[in-house]
Amino acid sequence: MRLLLIRHEARTPNDPTFWSPLTPTGLRNALYQMAPELQTVIQPTHIYTSPLLRCIQTVAPYCAVNRRKG
């Protein structure tokens, strides 16, 4: 079994809460850099994420395209 840990993309700075969303740049990076790399290079079989918004936003583009039926 291989385990890969990735950090969320850029989040809103100076937000004192744990619920800060990604910045527009972070959203673009998740869509145009992280998702393609996951799909073509890493090809994960499972994705687990923290319930924090920025973490979900980071993997959402990949998950939206690669949903498994079943």
Side-chain angles (χ1 to χ4, degrees):
M1 174 173 65
R2 292 185 322 167
L3 177 65
L4 172 71
L5 299 175
I6 58 173
R7 190 173 192 277
H8 58 77
E9 287 291 343
R11 70 179 181 101
T12 303
N14 303 321
D15 186 335
T17 71
F18 284 107
W19 300 104
S20 57
L22 294 181
T23 63
T25 300
L27 289 168
R28 277 192 303 277
N29 288 347
L31 179 60
Y32 296 112
Q33 292 177 351
M34 179 80 66
E37 186 167 333
L38 284 172
Q39 184 168 8
T40 60
V41 178
I42 300 167
Q43 300 175 350
T45 58
H46 295 80
I47 300 279
Y48 299 94
T49 184
S50 160
L52 296 177
L53 177 59
R54 63 186 171 267
C55 297
I56 294 169
Q57 288 175 318
T58 298
V59 297
Y62 172 80
C63 292
V65 172
N66 294 285
R67 289 183 191 206
R68 292 183 182 244
K69 307 255 189 230

